[in-house]
Amino acid sequence: MNSFDFHNPTKILFGVGKLEQLGEQVAACGSKTVLLVYGGGSIKKTGLYDRVLTQLADAGVRTVELPGVEPNPRVTTVRKGIELCRAEGVDLILAVGGGSVIDAAKAVAVGVPYEGDVWDFLMRKAKITAALPLGTVLTLSATGSEMNGNAVITNWEEKLKKSFGSIYAYPQFSILDPTLTYTVPADQTVNGIVDMMSHVFEQYFSLTPDTPLQERLCESILQTIIENGEQALADPEQYEARANLMLCGTYALNGGMISVGVQTDWATHAIEHEVSAIYDIAHAAGLSVLFPNWMKYVYRSRPDRFVQFAVRVWNIDPAGKSEEEIALTGIQATRDYFTRIGAPARLADLGIGDSEIGRMAKEAVKFGPIGSFKVLHEEDVKAILQLSL
Amino acid sequence: MNSFDFHNPTKILFGVGKLEQLGEQVAACGSKTVLLVYGGGSIKKTGLYDRVLTQLADAGVRTVELPGVEPNPRVTTVRKGIELCRAEGVDLILAVGGGSVIDAAKAVAVGVPYEGDVWDFLMRKAKITAALPLGTVLTLSATGSEMNGNAVITNWEEKLKKSFGSIYAYPQFSILDPTLTYTVPADQTVNGIVDMMSHVFEQYFSLTPDTPLQERLCESILQTIIENGEQALADPEQYEARANLMLCGTYALNGGMISVGVQTDWATHAIEHEVSAIYDIAHAAGLSVLFPNWMKYVYRSRPDRFVQFAVRVWNIDPAGKSEEEIALTGIQATRDYFTRIGAPARLADLGIGDSEIGRMAKEAVKFGPIGSFKVLHEEDVKAILQLSL
């Protein structure tokens, strides 16, 4: 196990009816003017928008709105939010939505006190040293953004998708009511499942020795997602399946709690960001295509970890199989599960051909080689993308 | 799963050499005068005391000392600490030690801003609404007190041992260097192992339905403790075993992260507190005696949970066994493990007879029946104590 620091100050309010505590949470932040950040308007159809406004009115705060955050949130939208905050004297950001909405809200929060352009943080040209306080109401189980300090933002003009992470970007509070995910369509539920499983993969496949607790925690989350994912798809209003998925999504990426002292990988995320920066596909659709191919490309770095994955996560019977066979069976089980829940297996399924592979591979390693389980250079990224066509 | 709130603001600094960051952590708290709280003086023998003083001097703070905190920390010592803080204008408490030292430091921290007697908090006569900031340097893997808001304090004159929990009592920071536990004697290492396993038991044996992730997290910690406990005892300076145990102790009780939305039990702790309030034995010695007997007394409340415990934690082969046989085999495996590492099995091993059983049973249910897996009344507590003689 490596040395580490861990600090996750986000307060979670989880369960049916927790939305009714939104007003008091906002009041506890001492807020007078809130920026309400949301997406394409589904929260208006479901009635959540009205419920949130009632809570904010009861808390006696003025509300300014930033609607229309995109599924791959754009820096242009973030800049609009920052201007709004400065013009209106906003003192609290409230994100109501999934990971994209929360990520955009985080970028607004860190951008307001910064004199330069917020994109500097994404290009690692400046360090985040302050932020407006942030609260969230989660409507989609997926990214874990509700309990961490990370955000992914797209610069559509430059075809770039980059991320930042900062202790200042952790939400002060996050309201997690599983019933708010009942209306999430099947395809987005699938995306959420793939996304949270991918977050665990990035932390589980590691060369760091002697991390049994972290490995067991990762396996715990994967097992629970696998069981509850199919239940939630079969019966979208089954509370327990939705609640278990929601908790898994949060724990899968809550500041690295399950991978403290572990060197994590994140190469597959880096590659996917280049795909969705160009093609504007759902992040999880790209991950579903790429991850089993990344696994096939890298498993020889440490076959025993893939054997453990096969046996402990997928219940593969190792009897009579070679290490390689067990590892490959586990990887195939991952692909089969993704296929069973309706996630794509090939870039072709997303209408993507080989024309941009060179550009994506080059951009993925722009800041240097990626990954740690196997360090990937431009040629490796190209090979994984070729495998994924 | 039940609804829940979760909030754990403690910052953890984990690994070799993290002690060298103590000064900057203290400085970041803006402290001018620190109360250094410690126990019987082992930190002077190991050199840790000098290293801490050097860090504090480098941070430019004045240091006042509260030495001599007892293994079952006394409210009289806490009161002494509170008076010192008030007289010396202390603005930060620094606990250097194990759970007892940290618990005493927490009680001092919450007691300073309170006008009444700190014991009021333990007797639930007053609610904690403020505290001095607190930092810790952990020297013993056991209680999890380094990352939660709980404390257990003994009133020796009244033969009472009571607890409190408050968000105000979470440490601001905790420094966890596994090498600081190399010198922990075998009997205290054993106590730590029993203590952290017991914390998981209290959260794992629950009637709350549909909590698969929480159950898997509990099993993860138990499996890791079981493996690494014996390794640490066999080779006290094996870094990885000490590090894994330290992380397990912290995660086992870090504000309930592994049992969010789960109704926990804590009856065995309540019973043990009555035993050690009268006999001044090590808390974990009492737990080692009591827990398998509690298990035998209550397992019929939900045999499937004990079957799961036997199979997933102790790797019991269920083939050809009845549910009852599997459950009892798991309970026996628990007792066997405790015996194997040298923890006591009977109250007689601790020199305790049946003379005070009536009094302990009565006191244990003073605030009402205890536990939730099976609700225990005075007669039940008596029966468990009788089983333990």
Side-chain angles (χ1 to χ4, degrees):
Chain A
M1 192 188 321
N2 300 333
S3 295
F4 66 87
D5 290 355
F6 178 80
H7 187 201
N8 190 334
T10 300
K11 179 177 179 183
I12 293 293
L13 297 92
F14 189 108
V16 184
K18 288 289 178 179
L19 187 67
E20 309 311 316
Q21 294 176 34
L22 173 59
E24 71 192 54
Q25 292 300 317
V26 169
C29 292
S31 173
K32 287 184 178 161
T33 306
V34 167
L35 179 73
L36 176 60
V37 183
Y38 57 98
S42 66
I43 65 167
K44 289 191 176 169
K45 284 183 221 133
T46 61
L48 177 57
Y49 175 81
D50 291 332
R51 293 171 67 192
V52 167
L53 283 196
T54 302
Q55 285 286 316
L56 293 175
D58 289 353
V61 296
R62 193 167 71 90
T63 302
V64 183
E65 298 197 12
L66 179 69
V69 172
E70 305 82 3
N72 286 315
R74 311 287 162 85
V75 69
T76 46
T77 308
V78 171
R79 289 187 188 119
K80 218 166 85 183
I82 292 170
E83 280 167 33
L84 256 175
C85 287
R86 288 173 182 160
E88 301 285 345
V90 165
D91 52 22
L92 176 71
I93 318 280
L94 179 66
V96 180
S100 300
V101 168
I102 298 172
D103 283 10
K106 285 178 180 172
V108 172
V110 301
V112 173
Y114 177 61
E115 283 183 12
D117 178 22
V118 67
W119 189 247
D120 292 350
F121 295 137
L122 285 303
M123 297 306 285
R124 307 182 194 188
K125 286 185 192 163
K127 203 171 141 64
I128 295 164
T129 58
L132 283 188
L134 167 72
T136 88
V137 177
L138 186 65
T139 62
L140 183 68
S141 303
T143 70
S145 192
E146 64 276 9
M147 203 179 179
N148 66 42
N150 307 330
V152 182
I153 303 293
T154 297
N155 187 321
W156 193 244
E157 291 64 39
E158 301 185 32
K159 293 275 181 274
L160 293 175
K161 187 172 181 179
K162 300 291 172 194
S163 63
F164 68 76
S166 165
I167 186 69
Y168 296 98
Y170 278 74
Q172 310 273 308
F173 65 85
S174 283
I175 293 176
L176 280 62
D177 180 343
T179 66
L180 297 179
T181 66
Y182 283 174
T183 54
V184 172
D187 62 334
Q188 285 193 45
T189 301
V190 169
N191 285 343
I193 292 166
V194 172
D195 197 30
M196 58 181 89
M197 288 179 73
S198 299
H199 290 162
V200 182
F201 294 156
E202 299 283 19
Q203 302 169 82
Y204 184 68
F205 296 108
S206 168
L207 299 182
T208 308
D210 294 310
T211 56
L213 180 59
Q214 296 90 328
E215 293 159 40
R216 295 299 86 72
L217 297 177
C218 287
E219 293 156 0
S220 296
I221 295 176
L222 289 172
Q223 290 166 359
T224 307
I225 297 170
I226 291 164
E227 281 172 26
N228 286 270
E230 291 188 276
Q231 285 175 38
L233 287 165
D235 181 1
E237 301 201 4
Q238 191 195 323
Y239 181 81
E240 294 304 339
R242 290 291 195 181
N244 289 329
L245 274 188
M246 190 169 248
L247 188 60
C248 282
T250 302
Y251 273 24
L253 203 56
N254 63 348
M257 180 198 77
I258 61 169
S259 62
V260 289
V262 173
Q263 188 174 18
T264 54
D265 193 89
W266 298 102
T268 310
H269 269 69
I271 301 172
E272 196 295 315
H273 286 172
E274 300 313 326
V275 181
S276 57
I278 293 180
Y279 293 101
D280 203 25
I281 58 170
H283 173 51
L287 290 172
S288 172
V289 170
L290 292 168
F291 237 120
N293 293 315
W294 173 85
M295 291 177 178
K296 278 186 206 163
Y297 194 79
V298 307
Y299 76 92
R300 286 189 191 86
S301 287
R302 186 174 183 176
D304 64 307
R305 181 57 49 89
F306 274 90
V307 168
Q308 179 175 280
F309 175 62
V311 172
R312 286 187 182 258
V313 174
W314 295 111
N315 300 313
I316 306 293
D317 182 358
K321 296 192 189 73
S322 71
E323 193 177 54
E324 177 135 15
E325 284 167 343
I326 302 166
L328 289 171
T329 310
I331 295 170
Q332 188 58 46
T334 311
R335 168 59 72 213
D336 291 345
Y337 182 79
F338 284 175
T339 300
R340 201 155 68 239
I341 62 173
R346 316 213 65 84
L347 288 173
D349 299 340
L350 303 168
I352 297 173
D354 63 359
S355 64
E356 303 291 338
I357 281 185
R359 178 176 167 194
M360 292 188 287
K362 194 173 180 183
E363 191 59 38
V365 298
K366 185 179 181 165
F367 296 131
I370 54 174
S372 65
F373 189 78
K374 176 176 169 72
V375 175
L376 303 181
H377 299 272
E378 195 175 330
E379 288 310 305
D380 301 306
V381 177
K382 246 188 220 168
I384 291 169
L385 286 166
Q386 290 285 357
L387 276 174
S388 305
L389 285 171
Chain B
M1 191 189 319
N2 300 332
S3 296
F4 66 87
D5 292 356
F6 178 80
H7 188 200
N8 190 334
T10 300
K11 180 177 180 181
I12 294 293
L13 298 91
F14 189 108
V16 184
K18 288 289 177 178
L19 186 68
E20 308 311 316
Q21 294 177 33
L22 174 61
E24 72 191 54
Q25 292 299 317
V26 168
C29 291
S31 172
K32 288 184 178 164
T33 307
V34 167
L35 179 72
L36 175 61
V37 183
Y38 57 98
S42 65
I43 65 166
K44 290 193 176 170
K45 282 182 224 135
T46 61
L48 176 58
Y49 174 82
D50 290 331
R51 293 171 66 193
V52 167
L53 283 196
T54 302
Q55 285 287 315
L56 293 174
D58 289 352
V61 296
R62 193 168 70 90
T63 301
V64 184
E65 298 196 15
L66 180 69
V69 172
E70 306 82 2
N72 288 314
R74 310 288 162 84
V75 70
T76 45
T77 308
V78 171
R79 289 188 188 118
K80 218 166 85 183
I82 293 168
E83 280 167 32
L84 256 175
C85 287
R86 288 174 182 159
E88 302 285 346
V90 165
D91 51 25
L92 176 71
I93 317 282
L94 179 66
V96 179
S100 299
V101 168
I102 298 173
D103 282 10
K106 285 178 179 172
V108 172
V110 301
V112 172
Y114 177 60
E115 284 183 9
D117 177 23
V118 67
W119 188 247
D120 292 351
F121 295 136
L122 285 302
M123 297 307 283
R124 308 183 193 186
K125 285 185 192 165
K127 202 170 144 57
I128 296 164
T129 58
L132 284 186
L134 168 72
T136 87
V137 176
L138 187 65
T139 61
L140 182 70
S141 304
T143 71
S145 192
E146 63 277 9
M147 203 180 180
N148 66 42
N150 307 329
V152 181
I153 302 294
T154 296
N155 188 321
W156 193 245
E157 290 65 39
E158 300 185 32
K159 293 275 181 273
L160 294 175
K161 187 172 182 178
K162 301 290 172 193
S163 64
F164 69 75
S166 165
I167 186 67
Y168 297 98
Y170 279 73
Q172 310 272 310
F173 66 85
S174 283
I175 292 175
L176 279 62
D177 180 343
T179 65
L180 296 179
T181 66
Y182 283 174
T183 53
V184 172
D187 62 335
Q188 285 193 45
T189 300
V190 169
N191 285 343
I193 292 166
V194 173
D195 197 29
M196 59 180 88
M197 288 180 73
S198 299
H199 289 163
V200 183
F201 295 157
E202 299 284 19
Q203 301 169 84
Y204 183 68
F205 296 107
S206 168
L207 300 182
T208 308
D210 294 311
T211 56
L213 180 59
Q214 296 90 329
E215 292 159 40
R216 294 300 86 72
L217 297 177
C218 287
E219 292 155 3
S220 296
I221 296 176
L222 289 172
Q223 289 165 359
T224 308
I225 297 170
I226 291 163
E227 280 172 28
N228 286 272
E230 290 187 278
Q231 284 176 38
L233 286 165
D235 181 1
E237 300 200 5
Q238 191 196 323
Y239 182 80
E240 295 303 340
R242 290 291 195 181
N244 289 328
L245 273 188
M246 190 169 247
L247 188 59
C248 283
T250 302
Y251 273 24
L253 202 57
N254 64 348
M257 180 199 75
I258 60 170
S259 63
V260 288
V262 172
Q263 187 174 19
T264 54
D265 194 89
W266 298 102
T268 310
H269 269 69
I271 300 171
E272 197 293 318
H273 286 172
E274 300 312 326
V275 179
S276 56
I278 292 180
Y279 294 101
D280 203 24
I281 57 169
H283 173 51
L287 290 172
S288 172
V289 170
L290 290 169
F291 236 119
N293 293 315
W294 173 85
M295 291 177 178
K296 279 187 206 163
Y297 193 79
V298 307
Y299 76 93
R300 287 189 190 85
S301 287
R302 186 174 184 177
D304 65 307
R305 180 56 49 89
F306 275 90
V307 168
Q308 178 175 280
F309 174 63
V311 173
R312 287 187 181 259
V313 174
W314 294 111
N315 301 314
I316 305 295
D317 182 358
K321 296 192 190 74
S322 70
E323 190 177 56
E324 176 135 16
E325 282 167 344
I326 303 166
L328 289 171
T329 309
I331 296 170
Q332 187 59 44
T334 312
R335 167 59 71 215
D336 290 346
Y337 182 79
F338 285 174
T339 300
R340 201 154 69 239
I341 62 174
R346 316 216 62 87
L347 288 173
D349 298 340
L350 303 167
I352 297 173
D354 64 358
S355 63
E356 302 292 336
I357 281 184
R359 178 177 165 192
M360 293 188 288
K362 195 172 177 181
E363 191 59 39
V365 298
K366 185 179 181 164
F367 295 131
I370 55 175
S372 66
F373 190 78
K374 178 178 169 70
V375 175
L376 303 181
H377 300 270
E378 193 175 332
E379 287 310 305
D380 300 306
V381 177
K382 244 187 220 169
I384 291 168
L385 287 166
Q386 289 285 356
L387 276 173
S388 306
L389 284 172

